[in-house]
Amino acid sequence: EGKRRPAIQQMIPSFQISLNSPIIHGLVTIGKFDGEHPSLACATGAANILIHSPHLRDTEENQEVRQLDVNRRISALTCGEWPLPTIVFKCGEEKNQKLAAQAVEQMEIVKNVHVSDMDQQTKEKERRHALLVGTETNLLCYDVEENADLFYKDVPEGLNAIAFGKIPGQSEPLAIVGGNCSLQGFDHEGNEMFWTVTGDNVTALAFRRNQLIVGSEDY
């Protein structure tokens, strides 16, 4: 008897959306930029990044699809969880209480955040994903939720790949970038915490069980 062929299962999509832009091969990542809901980020041929957030589909902001203009050829894209800055209201004095109450009222209008949920919202935003964008000679760390650049670093040795993870001797994860025969690691403030040389140009990076796997042109 011949070997029985495996049954073919039809893939059933959970949702479909047209971004109306060509997506660059390999430059796609998923992150919880608000600390809770997953969003899709992908690079386009027009030097832009499209961010698709399904949970914002029926909100007042209606920002299901947002666009980040990089204006440079994107060479690498990933995300990583860091302790990102957030807004904290302190109401110790009577004057500050009045100012904080006004700020809370504005926040309820703009972001639909309830006063009773303030502590919960602040806690969720303490650790959330930042978007890491690599161009040929630069690394951009972007806070999607707050629509702000966290840091922008020159990488003169080139940037071909990015990976996010922990390496021995570091207390927090680093953004590791690989370029022309070198590796560099940056923390959430953009400080260079790691540097080493490689035997060839780096073309791929990945973390597995706190081990950094490096791929190059020849090995």
Side-chain angles (χ1 to χ4, degrees), residues 17-24 42-50 65 67:
I17 183 172
S18 176
L19 299 176
N20 299 318
S21 296
I23 307 303
I24 300 178
C42 47
T44 72
N48 298 323
I49 294 176
L50 296 180
V65 178
Q67 179 174 293

Side-chain angles (χ1 to χ4, degrees), residues 29 33 41 43 47-49 51 67-80 82 84 129-144 147-155 158-164 174-177 186-191:
T29 188
F33 302 120
N48 298 323
I49 294 176
I51 301 171
Q67 179 174 293
L68 172 62
D69 296 325
V70 180
N71 296 323
R72 295 188 180 185
R73 190 183 74 84
I74 301 169
S75 58
L77 185 69
T78 192
C79 63
W82 268 329
L84 303 184
H129 285 100
L131 185 64
L132 298 164
V133 183
T135 65
E136 292 180 342
T137 56
N138 301 100
L139 172 64
L140 167 65
C141 182
Y142 181 70
D143 188 339
V144 175
N147 190 26
D149 295 344
L150 296 174
F151 64 79
Y152 185 83
K153 303 295 293 187
D154 291 327
V155 186
L159 198 160
N160 303 324
I162 308 175
F164 185 87
L174 300 180
I176 307 294
V177 301
F186 299 94
D187 65 10
H188 69 281
E189 295 180 342
N191 301 312

